Amino acid sequence: MTTSSAPATVTARERVTRLAADHLTALQRGYLADQSHAVASLARLRRGAGRQAGQLPDLWALIDTGPLHHTPTGARPLTEQELARAEDALHVALTLYALHQQSRRTGMYQADRPDRRRGLGAAVRRMMKPGEIDTPVHKRLVRAGTAADLATCAQRLRDIVVLLRREDIELDHALLAGQLYTWQRPGGADTVRREWGRSFHAWHDKPASPYPAADRDSADTPHTADTTDTDKDAS
Protein backbone atom coordinates (compact mmCIF):
# COMPACT_ATOMS: atom_id res chain seq x y z
CA MET A 1 0.00 0.00 0.00
CA THR A 2 1.32 3.43 -0.89
CA THR A 3 0.70 6.55 1.08
CA SER A 4 0.75 10.09 -0.24
CA SER A 5 2.58 12.67 1.77
CA ALA A 6 0.84 15.89 2.67
CA PRO A 7 1.98 19.00 0.78
CA ALA A 8 4.64 21.02 2.53
CA THR A 9 3.22 23.96 4.44
CA VAL A 10 4.14 27.33 2.98
CA THR A 11 4.73 29.64 5.93
CA ALA A 12 3.79 33.30 6.03
CA ARG A 13 7.47 34.20 6.30
CA GLU A 14 8.27 32.24 3.14
CA ARG A 15 5.52 34.07 1.30
CA VAL A 16 6.88 37.43 2.43
CA THR A 17 10.41 36.46 1.40
CA ARG A 18 9.31 35.25 -2.03
CA LEU A 19 7.21 38.34 -2.70
CA ALA A 20 10.09 40.58 -1.65
CA ALA A 21 12.43 38.68 -3.98
CA ASP A 22 9.99 39.17 -6.88
CA HIS A 23 9.79 42.92 -6.25
CA LEU A 24 13.54 43.28 -5.74
CA THR A 25 14.43 41.34 -8.87
CA ALA A 26 12.14 43.48 -11.03
CA LEU A 27 13.26 46.76 -9.47
CA GLN A 28 16.95 45.92 -9.73
CA ARG A 29 16.71 44.70 -13.32
CA GLY A 30 14.90 47.88 -14.33
CA TYR A 31 17.22 50.18 -12.43
CA LEU A 32 20.39 48.66 -13.85
CA ALA A 33 18.87 48.89 -17.32
CA ASP A 34 18.17 52.60 -16.65
CA GLN A 35 14.44 52.15 -17.16
CA SER A 36 12.73 55.38 -16.18
CA HIS A 37 9.90 53.79 -14.19
CA ALA A 38 12.33 51.74 -12.06
CA VAL A 39 14.61 54.72 -11.47
CA ALA A 40 11.63 56.83 -10.40
CA SER A 41 10.27 54.06 -8.17
CA LEU A 42 13.56 53.69 -6.30
CA ALA A 43 13.80 57.46 -5.85
CA ARG A 44 10.35 57.46 -4.24
CA LEU A 45 11.05 54.36 -2.14
CA ARG A 46 14.24 55.88 -0.74
CA ARG A 47 12.20 58.52 1.03
CA GLY A 48 10.66 55.79 3.15
CA ALA A 49 13.93 54.28 4.38
CA GLY A 50 13.92 54.21 8.16
CA ARG A 51 10.30 55.43 8.35
CA GLN A 52 7.11 53.56 9.13
CA ALA A 53 4.90 52.37 6.28
CA GLY A 54 1.92 54.48 7.30
CA GLN A 55 3.88 57.73 7.17
CA LEU A 56 4.10 57.77 3.36
CA PRO A 57 0.80 56.65 1.81
CA ASP A 58 2.07 57.51 -1.68
CA LEU A 59 4.43 54.52 -1.47
CA TRP A 60 1.62 52.01 -1.03
CA ALA A 61 1.13 51.70 -4.77
CA LEU A 62 4.82 50.85 -5.24
CA ILE A 63 4.74 47.82 -2.93
CA ASP A 64 2.12 45.45 -4.28
CA THR A 65 0.99 43.15 -1.46
CA GLY A 66 -1.87 41.72 -3.52
CA PRO A 67 -0.31 38.24 -3.75
CA LEU A 68 -0.49 37.94 0.03
CA HIS A 69 -4.29 38.10 -0.16
CA HIS A 70 -4.36 35.01 -2.38
CA THR A 71 -3.76 31.64 -0.78
CA PRO A 72 -1.36 29.38 -2.70
CA THR A 73 -1.41 25.61 -2.53
CA GLY A 74 0.05 24.40 0.73
CA ALA A 75 -0.71 27.63 2.56
CA ARG A 76 -3.54 29.08 4.60
CA PRO A 77 -5.09 32.54 4.44
CA LEU A 78 -3.16 35.16 6.39
CA THR A 79 -4.86 36.86 9.27
CA GLU A 80 -5.22 40.64 9.39
CA GLN A 81 -2.40 40.81 11.92
CA GLU A 82 -0.15 38.69 9.71
CA LEU A 83 -0.94 40.87 6.70
CA ALA A 84 -0.03 43.99 8.67
CA ARG A 85 3.28 42.43 9.72
CA ALA A 86 3.99 41.40 6.15
CA GLU A 87 3.24 44.87 4.79
CA ASP A 88 5.51 46.51 7.35
CA ALA A 89 8.33 44.04 6.70
CA LEU A 90 8.12 44.55 2.94
CA HIS A 91 8.09 48.32 3.36
CA VAL A 92 11.25 48.32 5.47
CA ALA A 93 13.15 45.88 3.26
CA LEU A 94 12.27 47.51 -0.08
CA THR A 95 12.92 51.07 1.08
CA LEU A 96 16.27 50.03 2.50
CA TYR A 97 17.11 48.37 -0.82
CA ALA A 98 16.26 51.59 -2.66
CA LEU A 99 18.69 53.47 -0.44
CA HIS A 100 21.32 50.74 -0.82
CA GLN A 101 21.10 50.65 -4.63
CA GLN A 102 21.32 54.41 -5.15
CA SER A 103 23.98 55.32 -7.75
CA ARG A 104 25.38 51.79 -7.81
CA ARG A 105 26.02 50.13 -11.18
CA THR A 106 25.96 46.57 -9.83
CA GLY A 107 23.06 44.95 -8.03
CA MET A 108 23.13 45.48 -4.27
CA TYR A 109 20.44 42.83 -3.85
CA GLN A 110 22.05 39.41 -4.00
CA ALA A 111 20.55 36.18 -2.70
CA ASP A 112 22.17 34.51 0.28
CA ARG A 113 23.65 31.09 -0.55
CA PRO A 114 25.78 28.63 1.42
CA ASP A 115 28.76 29.43 -0.81
CA ARG A 116 28.08 33.18 -0.96
CA ARG A 117 26.72 34.59 2.27
CA ARG A 118 24.71 37.78 1.87
CA GLY A 119 22.72 37.88 5.11
CA LEU A 120 22.84 40.95 7.33
CA GLY A 121 25.39 39.52 9.76
CA ALA A 122 27.72 38.46 6.95
CA ALA A 123 27.38 41.87 5.28
CA VAL A 124 28.39 43.62 8.50
CA ARG A 125 31.32 41.23 8.96
CA ARG A 126 32.56 42.00 5.45
CA MET A 127 33.01 45.65 6.42
CA MET A 128 35.71 44.59 8.87
CA LYS A 129 39.32 43.76 8.15
CA PRO A 130 40.08 40.03 7.94
CA GLY A 131 40.77 38.61 11.38
CA GLU A 132 39.65 41.75 13.20
CA ILE A 133 36.42 42.86 14.87
CA ASP A 134 35.57 46.50 14.24
CA THR A 135 33.81 47.36 17.49
CA PRO A 136 31.86 50.43 16.27
CA VAL A 137 30.55 48.54 13.24
CA HIS A 138 29.70 45.48 15.30
CA LYS A 139 27.85 47.67 17.78
CA ARG A 140 25.58 48.88 15.00
CA LEU A 141 24.48 45.30 14.36
CA VAL A 142 23.98 44.73 18.08
CA ARG A 143 21.92 47.93 18.38
CA ALA A 144 19.71 46.88 15.50
CA GLY A 145 19.27 43.48 17.11
CA THR A 146 18.26 44.97 20.45
CA ALA A 147 15.80 47.53 19.09
CA ALA A 148 12.59 47.68 21.10
CA ASP A 149 10.30 47.80 18.07
CA LEU A 150 10.32 47.57 14.28
CA ALA A 151 10.38 51.34 13.79
CA THR A 152 13.57 51.67 15.84
CA CYS A 153 15.06 48.61 14.16
CA ALA A 154 14.36 50.12 10.73
CA GLN A 155 16.15 53.34 11.66
CA ARG A 156 19.20 51.44 12.89
CA LEU A 157 19.21 49.21 9.82
CA ARG A 158 19.19 52.34 7.70
CA ASP A 159 22.47 53.41 9.31
CA ILE A 160 23.98 50.00 8.50
CA VAL A 161 22.76 50.10 4.89
CA VAL A 162 24.38 53.50 4.38
CA LEU A 163 27.71 51.93 5.37
CA LEU A 164 27.14 48.89 3.15
CA ARG A 165 26.38 51.17 0.23
CA ARG A 166 29.59 53.12 0.81
CA GLU A 167 31.59 49.87 0.74
CA ASP A 168 29.67 48.33 -2.21
CA ILE A 169 28.70 45.34 -0.08
CA GLU A 170 25.61 43.43 -1.20
CA LEU A 171 22.74 42.22 0.97
CA ASP A 172 19.89 39.74 0.64
CA HIS A 173 17.03 42.19 1.20
CA ALA A 174 14.45 39.47 0.55
CA LEU A 175 15.87 37.39 3.39
CA LEU A 176 15.79 40.54 5.51
CA ALA A 177 12.10 41.04 4.68
CA GLY A 178 11.30 37.56 5.97
CA GLN A 179 13.35 38.17 9.09
CA LEU A 180 11.56 41.45 9.77
CA TYR A 181 8.25 39.64 9.45
CA THR A 182 9.41 37.17 12.09
CA TRP A 183 10.76 40.03 14.21
CA GLN A 184 7.22 41.28 14.82
CA ARG A 185 5.91 37.97 16.15
CA PRO A 186 6.00 37.17 19.87
CA GLY A 187 9.52 35.95 20.59
CA GLY A 188 10.49 36.60 16.98
CA ALA A 189 13.16 39.19 17.77
CA ASP A 190 15.19 36.53 19.60
CA THR A 191 14.95 34.24 16.57
CA VAL A 192 16.15 36.96 14.22
CA ARG A 193 19.01 37.99 16.49
CA ARG A 194 20.24 34.41 16.44
CA GLU A 195 20.03 34.34 12.65
CA TRP A 196 22.01 37.55 12.35
CA GLY A 197 24.60 36.20 14.77
CA ARG A 198 24.97 32.95 12.84
CA SER A 199 25.30 34.91 9.61
CA PHE A 200 28.01 37.09 11.15
CA HIS A 201 30.04 34.11 12.30
CA ALA A 202 29.43 32.10 9.12
CA TRP A 203 31.39 34.74 7.22
CA HIS A 204 33.96 35.00 9.99
CA ASP A 205 34.69 31.27 9.68
CA LYS A 206 35.75 31.62 6.04
CA PRO A 207 39.44 32.01 5.11
CA ALA A 208 40.64 35.59 5.10
CA SER A 209 40.37 37.34 1.75
CA PRO A 210 43.70 38.01 0.00
CA TYR A 211 42.31 41.30 -1.27
CA PRO A 212 42.46 44.67 0.50
CA ALA A 213 39.24 45.84 2.18
CA ALA A 214 38.43 48.21 -0.68
CA ASP A 215 38.74 45.41 -3.21
CA ARG A 216 37.05 42.66 -1.18
CA ASP A 217 35.07 40.28 -3.39
CA SER A 218 36.39 41.92 -6.54
CA ALA A 219 37.33 38.48 -7.82
CA ASP A 220 33.66 37.47 -7.63
CA THR A 221 31.80 40.62 -8.62
CA PRO A 222 33.30 43.61 -10.41
CA HIS A 223 32.33 46.85 -8.71
CA THR A 224 32.49 50.34 -10.09
CA ALA A 225 33.22 52.85 -7.37
CA ASP A 226 30.75 55.72 -7.49
CA THR A 227 30.34 57.72 -4.33
CA THR A 228 28.49 60.62 -5.91
CA ASP A 229 24.84 60.72 -6.87
CA THR A 230 24.08 60.65 -10.56
CA ASP A 231 21.37 62.64 -12.28
CA LYS A 232 19.00 59.69 -12.32
CA ASP A 233 19.22 59.45 -8.53
CA ALA A 234 18.87 63.11 -7.83
CA SER A 235 15.12 63.06 -7.32
Side-chain angles (χ1 to χ4, degrees):
M1 181 178 66
T2 60
T3 58
S4 58
S5 58
T9 301
V10 180
T11 67
R13 170 170 169 167
E14 289 171 335
R15 294 176 63 183
V16 170
T17 301
R18 292 175 188 175
L19 182 56
D22 290 343
H23 281 311
L24 289 161
T25 299
L27 284 168
Q28 183 160 278
R29 182 184 299 118
Y31 182 85
L32 295 178
D34 204 17
Q35 296 175 359
S36 59
H37 71 278
V39 173
S41 293
L42 260 67
R44 291 172 61 190
L45 284 168
R46 277 197 302 275
R47 294 190 293 111
R51 302 174 66 179
Q52 297 184 56
Q55 292 180 316
L56 295 170
D58 63 315
L59 299 186
W60 294 347
L62 294 179
I63 304 176
D64 180 14
T65 59
L68 296 176
H69 294 268
H70 302 285
T71 309
T73 302
R76 57 167 178 76
L78 300 182
T79 66
E80 287 298 319
Q81 187 176 44
E82 288 172 329
L83 285 169
R85 290 171 181 160
E87 290 163 358
D88 288 344
L90 287 165
H91 169 85
V92 174
L94 293 180
T95 55
L96 288 176
Y97 164 73
L99 176 65
H100 197 170
Q101 186 62 56
Q102 184 180 17
S103 301
R104 292 297 174 264
R105 294 295 173 264
T106 56
M108 292 294 100
Y109 161 58
Q110 299 293 333
D112 181 69
R113 305 195 310 256
D115 63 333
R116 190 177 175 85
R117 292 299 181 188
R118 293 298 180 267
L120 181 65
V124 170
R125 184 66 184 86
R126 290 173 64 202
M127 285 192 282
M128 304 177 188
K129 294 180 179 179
E132 297 182 13
I133 298 295
D134 186 319
T135 301
V137 173
H138 183 255
K139 281 184 176 179
R140 290 181 182 273
L141 180 63
V142 172
R143 290 185 71 244
T146 56
D149 51 49
L150 184 64
T152 304
C153 182
Q155 293 170 357
R156 294 175 181 178
L157 289 174
R158 185 188 188 281
D159 294 339
I160 292 175
V161 164
V162 168
L163 296 178
L164 295 177
R165 176 179 173 272
R166 185 185 67 187
E167 299 293 330
D168 278 336
I169 293 175
E170 308 95 337
L171 179 67
D172 189 340
H173 303 80
L175 172 62
L176 181 62
Q179 290 171 331
L180 293 176
Y181 172 83
T182 297
W183 178 279
Q184 300 169 78
R185 300 186 55 165
D190 289 338
T191 299
V192 174
R193 279 192 286 267
R194 285 194 295 269
E195 292 182 15
W196 289 350
R198 285 196 299 268
S199 175
F200 180 90
H201 290 292
W203 179 265
H204 179 61
D205 289 340
K206 292 180 178 295
S209 169
Y211 300 98
D215 298 326
R216 210 167 298 149
D217 271 4
S218 60
D220 294 328
T221 305
H223 294 296
T224 302
D226 180 8
T227 57
T228 58
D229 293 344
T230 62
D231 290 342
K232 78 172 187 174
D233 287 315
S235 56

